[in-house]
Amino acid sequence: MALQLSSLWLHSPTISVHSIDCRSKTKPITATLLSSSSSSSSSLASSPPTIQIVGGKNATWHGNSNSNGGFEESDWVDLDADLYYWTKPLRPVQWYPGHIAKTEKELKEQLKLMDVVIEVRDARIPLSTTHPQMDAWLGNRKRILVLNREDMISTADRNAWATYFAKQGTKVLFSNGQLGMGTMKLSRLAKAMAAGVNVKRRAKGLLPRAVRAGIVGYPNVGKSSLINRLLKRRMCPAAPRPGVTRVLKWVRFGKDLEFLDSPGIIPMRISDQAAAIKLAICDDIGERSYNVTDVAAILVQMLAKIPTVGTSALRNRYKIDVDGNCGKIFVQKLALHLFNGDAHQASFRILSDFRKGKFGWISLERPPR
């Protein structure tokens, strides 16, 4: 039987594959279908997939070989190079809804009123969720960096990022907006950093006012959830998808702190497509901007190279073999195995499993050396 996918051809004795180039940058790999028709039948008749959490809270890519599961510095370079190579033949991922342009203009005006700015990023991809113009917008304004979803990365990854930002002199706080972890510390830190505002007001004979803190960041990184957890009630619309918040909104926290909730802001054009793919994997960009099957295939290839996950985790979870290093073949086989050949459903299952932490605590980025 011949399976056909869609965009760049790889040849093997039994399968024709099209779309993502499954080769690494330096070592081209030809994917082959290992199972015979009889083994395929037995695979389809096998029991449904069982959930297996691989890795654990101590899994990490940092440090030496004794603590990083064997993932060395050179392996990181190879993975980054491969990710760049894998994205080259794909349609560029671009997402810039109309409301973002309006928000960006309004936000720049509101930033002038801020005493402190709270920038929220996704702890799994802190670099990819960095707006390239944020430093220019903020200037010398005081900033707190929040890495949200700390429950989705390992303790060692958390410590590595904390050390990296501390060396840069950036105040960093880790949080879990869904459970409220880190929210009270955030409010105390915001008031402490902006305490000088009311000192100056009193010196001028003015009455003190509430500290104004603006919360900014990419779509779906958890800005509104953090505010709702702080207020202990649903004051800002929040949902696990990009683009829910569409207008700027001030909310008051007690007598001495005000927050500005803002829609996610993203560059008009994303030049780094490796970063764009990571945004898609982590659901930090609109689904209409990318091909779900292509993104899932790249995720499979990334997971296969991470020692704390690897091909064995994919095989154990979905009960199918991982063919070489080609994620596109794996997605198609999963589609035949569980979804009557529907590659879109199979791709969504893989992405959903990653986003729910079914493969363990995984960071997709490391601090620059």
Side-chain angles (χ1 to χ4, degrees):
M1 182 177 86
L3 301 179
Q4 187 172 338
L5 312 175
S6 34
S7 163
L8 178 71
W9 291 96
L10 284 176
H11 298 289
S12 77
T14 57
I15 188 166
S16 297
V17 182
H18 192 219
S19 187
I20 291 181
D21 192 333
C22 301
R23 299 168 294 176
S24 68
K25 188 174 183 182
T26 55
K27 297 179 181 180
I29 297 173
T30 301
T32 57
L33 187 61
L34 301 178
S35 56
S36 64
S37 58
S38 60
S39 63
S40 296
S41 300
S42 62
S43 175
L44 290 171
S46 63
S47 59
T50 57
I51 295 177
Q52 178 175 349
I53 303 298
V54 180
K57 200 62 178 173
N58 291 324
T60 176
W61 292 5
H62 300 281
N64 57 34
S65 58
N66 293 328
S67 62
N68 69 359
F71 212 65
E72 300 288 353
E73 184 79 17
S74 59
D75 296 320
W76 267 105
V77 174
D78 288 344
L79 182 61
D80 290 340
D82 285 343
L83 183 57
Y84 170 78
Y85 189 64
W86 295 333
T87 60
K88 286 186 69 175
L90 303 182
R91 173 175 62 87
V93 175
Q94 302 294 346
W95 187 67
Y96 196 74
H99 74 274
I100 291 184
K102 180 182 177 182
T103 296
E104 187 175 304
K105 182 178 179 180
E106 294 176 348
L107 185 60
K108 289 177 183 177
E109 293 298 319
Q110 292 293 328
L111 284 175
K112 299 175 184 178
L113 306 175
M114 304 296 171
D115 302 313
V116 60
V117 176
I118 300 168
E119 183 188 359
V120 184
R121 300 184 194 175
D122 190 323
R124 297 168 295 179
I125 49 172
L127 301 180
S128 294
T129 46
T130 305
H131 197 292
Q133 294 180 286
M134 187 62 69
D135 289 340
W137 291 343
L138 299 187
N140 295 325
R141 199 163 277 102
K142 294 181 179 179
R143 181 199 307 198
I144 301 172
L145 178 60
V146 176
L147 298 187
N148 195 33
R149 301 188 179 121
E150 68 162 335
D151 55 311
M152 295 185 177
I153 62 174
S154 72
T155 301
D157 289 325
R158 181 187 186 279
N159 293 340
W161 282 111
T163 300
Y164 170 74
F165 286 115
K167 289 179 179 179
Q168 292 187 326
T170 303
K171 293 281 186 182
V172 63
L173 187 147
F174 290 82
S175 70
N176 179 347
Q178 293 297 318
L179 300 180
M181 296 169 59
T183 53
M184 294 308 297
K185 185 177 180 180
L186 175 61
S187 67
R188 291 194 298 268
L189 184 58
K191 287 186 283 188
M193 290 186 68
V197 172
N198 284 320
V199 172
K200 293 179 180 178
R201 288 179 65 85
R202 289 189 185 96
K204 296 178 181 179
L206 300 174
L207 293 175
R209 63 163 173 78
V211 170
R212 298 168 183 159
I215 298 185
V216 300
Y218 268 47
N220 202 35
V221 293
K223 301 181 297 297
S224 298
S225 295
L226 282 174
I227 294 178
N228 289 337
R229 279 294 177 179
L230 270 168
L231 301 177
K232 297 182 179 179
R233 61 186 185 275
R234 188 181 178 87
M235 289 293 293
C236 302
R241 65 180 186 275
V244 174
T245 303
R246 289 182 172 264
V247 294
L248 298 173
K249 181 178 181 180
W250 282 98
V251 292
R252 197 172 184 91
F253 180 66
K255 297 180 180 180
D256 50 6
L257 185 60
E258 290 180 333
F259 287 108
L260 177 66
D261 185 30
S262 64
I265 49 175
I266 198 166
M268 182 179 293
R269 182 172 181 82
I270 305 175
S271 57
D272 185 351
Q273 285 300 295
I277 289 294
K278 285 183 277 189
L279 290 172
I281 290 173
C282 294
D283 201 20
D284 292 333
I285 195 171
E287 187 176 325
R288 292 184 179 181
S289 67
Y290 58 88
N291 183 296
V292 175
T293 303
D294 288 344
V295 172
I298 288 181
L299 175 59
V300 168
Q301 291 167 197
M302 293 180 70
L303 294 178
K305 297 195 72 170
I306 300 173
T308 54
V309 183
T311 57
S312 60
L314 294 164
R315 186 182 304 111
N316 291 338
R317 177 159 183 79
Y318 300 113
K319 304 304 180 186
I320 56 177
D321 289 330
V322 182
D323 293 310
N325 216 24
C326 190
K328 198 75 174 184
I329 294 178
F330 182 84
V331 170
Q332 191 68 23
K333 290 182 69 177
L334 181 62
L336 292 172
H337 183 53
L338 294 179
F339 301 102
N340 296 319
D342 190 330
H344 187 275
Q345 287 192 42
S347 302
F348 188 78
R349 167 66 67 84
I350 295 169
L351 291 172
S352 179
D353 284 349
F354 171 80
R355 293 163 183 171
K356 293 177 180 178
K358 302 302 183 183
F359 300 110
W361 312 104
I362 304 168
S363 174
L364 297 183
E365 292 180 341
R366 64 172 297 170
R369 296 294 182 184

